Every structure is written in structure tokens, then in C-alpha cells.
Amino acid sequence: EDWIRREGLFNLFLAKSLPQVKVLSTAVKPVKKEADTFEIVAVFTNEGYLPTALKMADRVKIVRPDAAAVRLPAGAELAPGVRARQDIGFLRQNERKEVRWKVKVKPGTSGEAEVTISSTRGGLAKASVKIG
């Protein structure tokens, strides 16, 4: 029985150590001097103890960089030159990274954009933000 309890505690410790990505915040701000244009700002973090990729894994290219992405509602589109998916490298424990997307919205349009972070080792997290 004692070894079962120890093994259970070890597994719990291990699970809490694994990388775990999270969307900390999302916001939408109007872009000054550009009608019907907004900027979506999202902040991402890794709540796990371990980074989303160890240096060796990055060096030998066995994991893809963490990526932030946005999916827009009908009537909204990314500004020219802005990519929906952006590689953000790898997140260390409690590191925060901010990603911005410039969005043009047709007048009278409103809806929700979905912001996502995906990580080979750290999982997937999503959040919605109202636009318009």
C-alpha cells in the first residue's frame, strides 16, 4: 500500500510538472485614425514547471514552435500582411508572450473571434473575444 501511495504522489508531481499553455488575457482595441479597424491583443503563458520544449528537442527539431492563432467571425478580415497563425517560439515556466492581430471589420459587423495557442508538449488553450 505504501508504494502505491508514493507512486500516486510521484505521478501527481509529474503531471503538475508538465508544460501547460494558457490564454491569460484577450482584449480588443480600436486602431486610432483607421475606421473600422481593431487590434486583438492576447497574452499567453505556460503554467507548467517544464518549458514547452527542452533546448535539445528544439536543436534536433523534434517539436514545432508554439503557435498563436486567431479565427475571425464573418465580416472581419485580417489587415494586409497579418497572418492568422504566428509562431511564438517556446514558453518557459510562467513566461508571458503577447501576440497582436490587426483586423478590419465591415461596418455594422459584430461577433466573436477565437484566439488559440497550441503547443506540441504544452497542449491547446482557447479564448473568445468580442469584436465590433
Side-chain angles (χ1 to χ4, degrees):
E1 285 183 21
D2 208 27
W3 70 271
I4 292 173
R5 191 173 73 248
R6 278 194 310 263
E7 189 171 314
L9 290 175
F10 174 75
N11 287 339
L12 185 60
F13 167 76
L14 185 61
K16 288 183 180 241
S17 296
L18 295 174
Q20 181 62 54
V21 294
K22 182 178 180 183
V23 180
L24 278 182
S25 66
T26 56
V28 174
K29 302 174 184 178
V31 175
K32 292 179 182 175
K33 299 180 183 176
E34 291 188 50
D36 302 315
T37 304
F38 298 89
E39 185 175 56
I40 298 172
V41 181
V43 179
F44 305 100
T45 192
N46 170 17
E47 292 188 329
Y49 176 75
L50 295 172
T52 55
L54 300 174
K55 285 185 171 80
M56 183 56 76
D58 180 33
R59 196 172 303 140
V60 297
K61 306 293 182 215
I62 62 171
V63 292
R64 293 180 62 169
D66 301 338
V70 66
R71 194 179 82 223
L72 301 173
E77 62 182 27
L78 293 169
V82 178
R83 293 184 7 224
R85 183 181 190 278
Q86 299 180 32
D87 287 346
I88 60 171
F90 301 107
L91 290 165
R92 295 183 307 273
Q93 176 188 18
N94 295 324
E95 180 180 11
R96 295 176 181 207
K97 289 196 179 174
E98 182 180 274
V99 179
R100 296 170 177 265
W101 294 272
K102 193 172 176 183
V103 178
K104 293 201 168 277
V105 178
K106 290 180 184 169
T109 299
S110 67
E112 285 192 350
E114 184 180 68
V115 172
T116 306
I117 181 169
S118 60
S119 170
T120 303
R121 304 273 191 254
L124 179 72
K126 297 179 182 182
S128 294
V129 63
K130 191 166 176 60
I131 296 180

